[in-house]
C-alpha cells in the first residue's frame, strides 16, 4: 500500500513508531515543598492554579454538590494578596481541599487513584510500556513543584525515556537569578526546553507582562540557549483573552524570531466551534500557526472528557480541520498523564486519535506521534 493511503487502511501498529507523548507529568507528593523554598509557597501556587482551573467543578464534601462560588481567590486582586484564607491544602485521592464557614470543599484535579497526589518515574514508565509510549516530555508546572532536579534524576535512571522541561518563576523571569536558574537547568540538568505558564505571573500581580521590554534579557537568553518554549495560556486571565495572550506571544516572536514555540493543551477549539463543529479561527491563530515557528499539541481528552464520552468523536472534526488548515507538521500528540485518567485510560488518550480518526496518511501520523516532536526537542540538544 502507498503511504498516502488512509492510516485505517494501512493498519499501522503505533508501537512500531516510537511514540512520543509531549505532555506528561511526574512529581513527588503534592503536599510537600517539591523544590520550592517552603510548603507554603508551593501551596500558594496550587491555590492560584485551582482558582484558575475550570475543567473540574468545586464540590461540597458533605453532599458532593457542585458549588458555583469561586472561593479560593479575590476576583479583583490577582496578586498573592488575593488568596483567600480557607486552609487550602493538598488532600488525598487526587483532590485539593479547603474549608469555609465550617464547610469542607474540594476539587478533583487528579484521578482518584492518586492517594498521596504523587506520580513517580517508575509508575509512569510502567504505564508508558503498557500504553506503547516510547518517550515522554515532562511538563514542569508549579502545581507539581519546581522539578528540574527531580526530572534530571528520572532522566538518569531511565535514559532515552524522558525529555525534561525547565521552569522559572515567570513573574520574575527577567531577573538575573531566574536567568541563571534557567541556564543551570539547561546546562547542568540537561533540560531540553522551557515550560512557561502565564498563570505564574500572579506573583507580581501581572506587572510587568512577559512581552514587555523588561523581559527582553530573558527571551534573549532563551534564544541563545536554542531551546523551545512550551506555553500555557489561560484563555481568560488578567493577561486577557486567549487571542490577547497570543498577541503577547506574537510580540515576543517579533523580537526573538529564532525561538521555537509549542501551544500546550493545543488550540482551544471549543472557543471557535459553531453548532455543526465548523471552526472559525481568529486571525492571530492563523498567523502564528502558518507563519511563525509555532506548533500545537493535539491533546483533547482532558478538555472534553467531562463533557462527552470516549472516543470523543465530536473533537475529530475539529482535529481534521486543524490538520487541513495548517498541515500535520504543525502538531504533536500529548496525553496529560496522569491527569487525563480522570476521564479515560492512558492508552485511550492515544487510541481516540489513532483508532478512531482515519483521515490521515501514515507519514502524517508518524509526524504527529514522533517526528514533529523530535524536530522541536531534539534540535535543542
Amino acid at each position: 500500500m502507498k503511504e498516502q493511503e488512509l492510516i485505517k487502511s494501512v493498519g499501522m501498529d503505533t508501537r512500531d513508531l516510537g511514540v512520543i507523548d509531549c505532555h506528561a507529568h511526574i512529581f513527588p507528593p503534592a503536599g510537600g515543598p517539591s523544590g520550592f523554598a517552603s510548603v507554603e509557597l508551593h501551596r500558594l501556587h496550587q491555590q492560584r492554579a485551582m482558582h484558575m482551573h475550570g475543567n473540574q467543578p468545586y464540590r461540597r464534601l458533605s453532599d458532593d454538590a457542585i458549588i458555583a462560588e469561586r472561593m479560593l481567590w479575590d476576583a479583583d486582586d490577582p496578586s498573592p494578596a488575593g488568596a483567600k484564607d480557607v486552609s487550602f491544602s493538598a488532600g488525598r485521592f487526587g483532590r485539593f481541599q479547603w474549608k469555609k464557614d465550617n464547610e469542607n470543599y474540594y476539587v478533583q484535579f487528579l484521578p482518584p487513584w492518586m492517594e498521596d497526589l504523587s506520580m513517580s518515574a517508575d509508575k509512569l514508565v510502567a504505564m508508558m510500556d503498557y500504553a506503547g509510549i516510547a518517550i515522554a516530555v515532562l511538563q514542569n508546572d508549579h502545581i507539581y513543584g519546581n522539578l528540574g532536579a527531580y526530572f534530571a534524576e528520572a532522566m538518569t535512571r531511565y535514559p532515552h525515556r524522558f525529555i525534561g522541561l525547565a521552569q522559572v518563576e515567570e513573574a520574575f523571569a527577567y531577573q538575573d537569578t531566574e536567568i541563571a536558574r534557567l541556564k543551570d537547568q539547561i546546562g547542568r540538568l540537561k533540560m531540553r526546553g522551557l515550560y512557561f505558564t502565564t498563570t505564574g505571573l500572579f506573583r507580581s500581580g501581572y506587572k510587568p507582562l512577559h512581552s514587555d521590554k523588561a523581559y527582553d534579557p530573558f527571551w534573549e537568553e532563551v534564544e541563545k540557549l536554542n531551546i523551545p518554549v512550551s506555553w500555557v495560556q489561560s484563555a481568560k486571565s488578567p493577561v486577557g483573552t486567549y487571542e490577547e495572550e497570543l498577541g503577547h506571544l506574537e510580540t515576543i516572536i517579533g523580537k526573538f524570531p529564532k525561538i521555537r514555540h509549542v501551544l500546550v493543551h493545543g488550540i482551544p477549539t471549543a472557543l471557535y466551534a459553531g453548532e455543526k463543529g465548523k471552526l472559525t479561527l481568529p486571525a492571530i491563530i492563523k498567523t502564528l500557526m502558518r507563519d511563525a515557528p509555532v506548533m500545537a499539541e493535539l491533546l483533547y481528552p482532558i478538555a472534553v472528557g467531562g463533557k462527552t464520552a470516549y472516543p470523543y468523536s465530536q473533537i475529530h472534526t475539529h482535529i481534521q480541520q486543524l490538520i487541513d488548515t495548517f498541515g500535520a507538521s504543525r502538531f504533536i500528540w500529548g496525553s496529560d498523564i496522569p491527569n487525563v485518567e480522570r476521564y479515560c485510560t492512558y492508552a485511550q488518550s492515544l487510541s481516540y486519535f489513532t483508532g478512531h480518526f482515519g483521515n490521515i496518511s501514515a507519514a502524517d501520523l508518524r509526524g504527529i506521534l514522533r517526528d514533529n516532536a523530535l524536530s522541536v526537542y531534539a534540535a535543542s540538544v
Side-chain angles (χ1 to χ4, degrees), residues 251-262:
T251 298
I252 293 167
I253 291 172
K255 291 190 284 186
F256 304 95
K258 296 179 181 179
I259 301 175
R260 306 179 303 283
H261 305 271
V262 174

Side-chain angles (χ1 to χ4, degrees), residues 279-331:
L279 299 181
T280 304
L281 299 173
I284 184 69
I285 291 179
K286 294 178 180 179
T287 297
L288 292 178
M289 291 295 292
R290 285 174 173 161
D291 303 328
V294 176
M295 288 187 180
E297 293 179 353
L298 291 181
L299 188 152
Y300 290 105
I302 193 69
V304 303
K307 306 173 184 68
T308 185
Y310 178 88
Y312 317 120
S313 56
Q314 291 178 333
I315 206 68
H316 295 163
T317 61
H318 296 186
I319 295 173
Q320 187 65 64
Q321 290 173 77
L322 292 176
I323 293 173
D324 290 345
T325 302
F326 303 118
S329 64
R330 290 286 182 164
F331 297 97

Side-chain angles (χ1 to χ4, degrees), residues 197-217:
T197 173
T198 57
T199 300
L201 298 171
F202 85 93
R203 289 199 62 199
S204 63
Y206 290 82
K207 297 177 182 179
L209 288 173
H210 51 298
S211 64
D212 290 346
K213 184 175 178 58
Y215 275 80
D216 285 359

